[in-house]
Amino acid sequence: MSITVQRCSHCGGYLFPYRLLCPTCGSSEFADTEVDFGTVEVVTHTAGGVTIATVVCEKELRIVARLHPADVAVGDVVALTDDNTDSTGPVAFVPVPDHSTPGKDDQ
């Protein structure tokens, strides 16, 4: 399990969601890289029964993700996945748009 994030080719910073320019150095050169795990930093339970969290990954990259199971706590290490059917918890589901076809997400 993993998700794909951007890594700036100039300063080495990790970025998610995808960006056109690096907010740190202004570069537009990126390489895709896989991130497998992160540590739960903040947990929020919505009124609709959904549990979301801020997950801290490599290089202090923070990702907001849906948690499964709901009883994951601050400090727990979770696997990152973009497969919403993966329930081999604890996992953090991160919906990642398909960037392989320009404009595909705009339809």
Side-chain angles (χ1 to χ4, degrees):
M1 284 184 275
S2 66
I3 63 166
T4 303
V5 300
Q6 286 176 306
R7 184 165 187 199
C8 178
S9 298
H10 184 259
C11 71
Y14 290 83
L15 305 169
F16 186 88
Y18 276 69
R19 307 233 171 78
L20 295 175
L21 297 173
C22 177
T24 303
C25 70
S27 174
S28 62
E29 300 292 321
F30 301 101
D32 286 345
T33 187
E34 300 293 317
V35 178
D36 301 317
F37 295 95
T39 303
V40 176
E41 181 178 57
V42 177
V43 176
T44 302
H45 302 280
T46 69
V50 175
T51 302
I52 58 174
T54 301
V55 180
V56 179
C57 306
E58 298 176 44
K59 301 285 185 173
E60 297 187 22
L61 172 67
R62 285 176 169 74
I63 295 175
V64 176
R66 184 175 182 164
L67 294 180
H68 180 80
D71 63 350
V72 174
V74 171
D76 288 351
V77 175
V78 293
L80 299 170
T81 182
D82 61 359
D83 180 359
N84 67 351
T85 62
D86 191 338
S87 60
T88 57
V91 297
F93 167 65
V94 182
V96 179
D98 180 4
H99 294 282
S100 62
T101 307
K104 180 177 180 179
D105 296 329
D106 298 334
Q107 298 177 2

